[in-house]
Amino acid sequence: MQHKIYNDPFPHVIIEDTFDQKQYELIWREINFLSSKLRQPQDYNAATVESGKYLTTAKGLVLDTVYHKDYRNISDIMLLTTLKFFNPDFLEELVQENEYWVTYRDSTLDYTKLRRYDVGDFYAPHSDSWVNALISTTICPEKVDGGSLWFPGHEIEPIPAKDNQTVIFPGWVTHAVTDVKENHRYAI
């Protein structure tokens, strides 16, 4: 797991090769199991505008509802993401770089979704101000055209969908996923 910490234009982290080969295989095993069970946006609490219109067309699942709190360790996705992203050494490194990350380090609640973006799917610009840190891991074994993580209003290039890459950023930052034009991508 190699990562780079950025402070401009807002604090964020990009992690390459988030999961090793064995972990990656376990995650794919679970994705393959859950793939046919993914729901429409209204069924997994996707973001909406005031009119109630959903900002995404991607299908997904809230893993916290699939695996009740007493059974989180049954999910390889939830177990591995917790081990990676709540590692005390990693969190301390972030805090040493930017005090903002204290909010992430000291969080006592996490919420995990699995989302699949097929051709034509997107997530319109929005913010999740109730979230201290958003952690978005892209899983896409085939090269994806589109599906980039985009931060409108900030001078930062969209981050292309790249397999086994994670981006961590504050929930208050407006973000979006551009239309997928070819193949598909999963986001955890």
Side-chain angles (χ1 to χ4, degrees), residues 40-51:
Q40 296 297 328
Q42 64 270 19
D43 298 324
Y44 70 87
N45 217 14
T48 60
V49 291
E50 286 182 27
S51 68

Side-chain angles (χ1 to χ4, degrees), residues 125-138:
H126 67 287
S127 63
D128 299 294
S129 56
W130 58 277
V131 177
N132 290 331
L134 279 170
I135 304 169
S136 181
T137 302
T138 299

Side-chain angles (χ1 to χ4, degrees), residues 72-90:
R72 287 176 61 102
N73 62 343
I74 290 173
S75 167
D76 289 323
I77 291 172
M78 295 180 83
L79 182 64
L80 292 169
T81 56
T82 298
L83 289 173
K84 290 284 182 177
F85 305 130
F86 294 94
N87 173 297
D89 293 334
F90 174 66

Side-chain angles (χ1 to χ4, degrees), residues 5-45:
I5 303 169
Y6 300 88
N7 289 311
D8 292 315
F10 50 84
H12 64 287
V13 181
I14 298 178
I15 303 170
E16 303 292 340
D17 301 318
T18 305
F19 301 103
D20 66 29
Q21 187 61 38
K22 175 74 172 149
Q23 294 167 336
Y24 186 82
E25 289 170 7
L26 291 170
I27 285 172
W28 261 115
R29 182 180 70 175
E30 189 169 348
I31 288 173
N32 287 329
F33 171 72
L34 295 172
S35 188
S36 66
K37 299 160 183 64
L38 298 177
R39 309 289 181 156
Q40 296 297 328
Q42 64 270 19
D43 298 324
Y44 70 87
N45 217 14

Side-chain angles (χ1 to χ4, degrees), residues 104-179:
Y104 171 26
R105 183 195 65 198
D106 294 349
S107 293
T108 58
L109 177 67
D110 67 301
Y111 192 63
T112 306
K113 290 183 182 181
L114 172 65
R115 194 175 285 121
R116 183 182 67 221
Y117 294 85
D118 292 318
V119 173
D121 286 340
F122 63 92
Y123 214 128
H126 67 287
S127 63
D128 299 294
S129 56
W130 58 277
V131 177
N132 290 331
L134 279 170
I135 304 169
S136 181
T137 302
T138 299
I139 304 290
C140 56
E142 300 172 331
K143 185 169 173 41
V144 174
D145 185 9
S148 297
L149 185 57
W150 172 47
F151 299 97
H154 294 280
E155 292 189 20
I156 181 174
E157 290 292 316
I159 300 171
K162 183 178 178 188
D163 189 35
N164 204 13
Q165 181 183 64
T166 300
V167 181
I168 304 173
F169 58 96
W172 51 260
V173 174
T174 300
H175 56 282
V177 175
T178 63
D179 291 19

